[in-house]
Amino acid sequence: MRRPTGQKTQEVFKSIERVFIIACGTSNYAGNVGKYLIEQLAKVPVECDIASEFRYRNPVIPAKSLVITISQSGETADTLAAIRMAKEMGATTLSICNVKSSTIDREAHGHLYMNSGPEIGVASTKAFTSTMAVLNTLAIAIARTRGVMNEAEEKELVKSLLAVPSQMEGVLSYDKYFEEAASSLKLFRGFLYMGRGTSFPIAMEGALKLKELAYMHAEGYAAGEMKHGPLALIDERMAIVMVAPTDHLYEKTISNLEEARARGGKVISIGTGDNEKLREISEHYLAIPKAHWTVNAILSVIPLQLMSYHLASNLGYDVDQPRNLAKSVTVE
């Protein structure tokens, strides 16, 4: 990656004082996972913005900023406008795209690729998980370059990433489970998806997938926000989807889950391994393999994607071509 001045990638990573991640929809939720990764691993402050808001709020972009844009197609209109604005303001820009030589890819100073192959369906799935893998490696690279991560820590994180494909195979076995459960799940009047840390943007992404594919009401919340309004919605016809892998926020997440359950909500939970506590308080418990917190998000989102797919299919909807949506959003 080079700036117009010829500055090299390592020089950029050492000099940046702030990171902006700009994207829309699913890519924005992946960017929010990236915010947690870069801040916690590389110790650089990160702002994550929706492109259509960022470009119109007259953002302040300090000189030593790295602006990262994420777009599966590389043609998203608002994201393209945001990267052009950032360049005009003197920031270094980095694109994460799935389509090489797309407009955003061409216009950015630096380039990273999802390499997830063509997605047939309008709703993004494998591009989302690929983006989270790219953001993991980017956070590691920035951290190592800035000297805030040692070689042993780097090896541990890379090892956890390399283990993900085989771990994903096990999680994909929930395909049959959701195929059978869809007929009962579709009877709920709404779904509240919740999580903390990297599980919060995963909750928002899960809710988005249900809206996109099954046309059902769903909202994603930070679990700690439940008492600030969403609790009023909970009754026996409301499903609570809690993303609660075992991490440093697990105990607080469980406390939020018990609040929801006490008010009659029917719980679908995603946790780590054979978690008896979650199994006991949930109508449906889905286990992901034990993994480093940095990759939990990649594993946790798969059951949510499968649930949306099978609910939509059970309702008779076309999962590849949801109504009113387009694969590449090239207009505002």
Side-chain angles (χ1 to χ4, degrees):
M1 185 176 81
R2 292 176 179 269
R3 298 187 64 175
T5 58
Q7 191 176 19
K8 294 183 179 179
T9 300
Q10 289 189 331
E11 294 171 352
V12 172
F13 288 169
K14 285 180 180 178
S15 66
I16 55 174
E17 296 178 357
R18 182 171 297 274
V19 172
F20 292 83
I21 301 178
I22 315 299
C24 301
T26 287
S27 292
N28 178 61
Y29 297 143
N32 273 280
V33 174
K35 171 183 170 71
Y36 286 95
L37 293 169
I38 294 171
E39 285 195 338
Q40 293 195 40
L41 297 181
K43 313 302 181 188
V44 181
V46 180
E47 293 185 29
C48 191
D49 278 88
I50 298 168
S52 57
E53 290 294 318
F54 179 82
R55 60 181 292 203
Y56 290 117
R57 67 175 173 84
N58 296 319
V60 176
I61 307 177
K64 294 182 179 180
S65 296
L66 175 64
V67 176
I68 302 170
T69 55
I70 305 173
S71 170
Q72 190 280 144
S73 67
E75 303 293 344
T76 309
D78 286 313
T79 309
L80 176 59
I83 203 170
R84 287 172 174 169
M85 175 191 291
K87 288 171 67 178
E88 289 174 2
M89 298 176 74
T92 303
T93 58
L94 170 64
S95 68
I96 300 176
C97 294
N98 195 36
V99 181
K100 293 183 179 181
S101 299
S102 57
T103 307
I104 291 173
D105 179 42
R106 293 196 309 270
E107 296 210 9
H109 296 129
H111 322 274
L112 291 173
Y113 299 106
M114 300 171 191
N115 288 327
S116 55
E119 279 203 319
I120 304 304
V122 167
S124 178
T125 50
K126 63 182 180 178
F128 179 74
T129 52
S130 296
T131 301
M132 288 192 290
V134 170
L135 288 166
N136 259 275
T137 58
L138 177 61
I140 293 168
I142 296 173
R144 282 288 281 152
T145 301
R146 296 173 71 88
V148 296
M149 177 186 294
N150 61 41
E151 185 178 353
E153 291 170 324
E154 179 187 17
K155 285 183 177 179
E156 179 188 6
L157 293 173
V158 171
K159 184 179 179 181
S160 68
L161 269 172
L162 292 174
V164 165
S166 61
Q167 291 176 321
M168 290 174 73
E169 289 183 15
V171 181
L172 284 166
S173 65
Y174 287 123
D175 187 67
K176 185 65 176 177
Y177 167 81
F178 281 117
E179 184 179 6
E180 295 172 353
S183 57
S184 61
L185 291 174
K186 71 181 181 183
L187 300 177
F188 287 108
R189 67 178 175 87
F191 291 76
L192 291 179
Y193 290 71
M194 299 184 188
R196 284 176 176 264
T198 58
S199 296
F200 168 38
I202 295 304
M204 293 193 290
E205 170 62 10
L208 177 63
K209 281 294 160 286
L210 197 67
K211 285 180 276 196
E212 287 180 313
L213 298 183
Y215 317 143
M216 299 181 74
H217 177 70
E219 296 294 337
Y221 282 96
E225 282 290 290
M226 226 175 30
K227 60 181 70 67
H228 299 287
L231 276 178
L233 294 171
I234 296 175
D235 60 20
E236 67 281 353
R237 295 182 58 217
M238 180 67 70
I240 309 300
V241 183
M242 188 65 85
V243 186
T246 301
D247 56 20
H248 68 292
L249 294 168
Y250 169 76
E251 294 297 336
K252 291 186 180 294
T253 306
I254 290 297
S255 175
N256 300 137
L257 181 56
E258 288 177 328
E259 284 185 276
R261 182 170 174 267
R263 288 157 177 80
K266 302 302 181 184
V267 176
I268 302 165
S269 64
I270 298 170
T272 303
D274 191 15
N275 189 315
E276 288 300 325
K277 177 65 175 178
L278 279 175
R279 195 181 299 278
E280 176 188 337
I281 63 178
S282 305
E283 300 289 317
H284 306 279
Y285 172 64
L286 310 170
I288 62 171
K290 183 178 180 180
H292 197 278
W293 73 264
T294 53
V295 299
N296 274 335
I298 302 175
L299 299 171
S300 297
V301 77
I302 295 171
L304 305 184
Q305 293 173 340
L306 292 173
M307 185 170 81
S308 298
Y309 168 81
H310 283 293
L311 273 168
S313 181
N314 191 274
L315 289 164
Y317 301 134
D318 184 343
V319 295
D320 287 329
Q321 297 292 328
R323 65 191 183 201
N324 306 330
L325 299 178
K327 185 64 182 172
S328 181
V329 183
T330 56
V331 296
E332 291 189 42

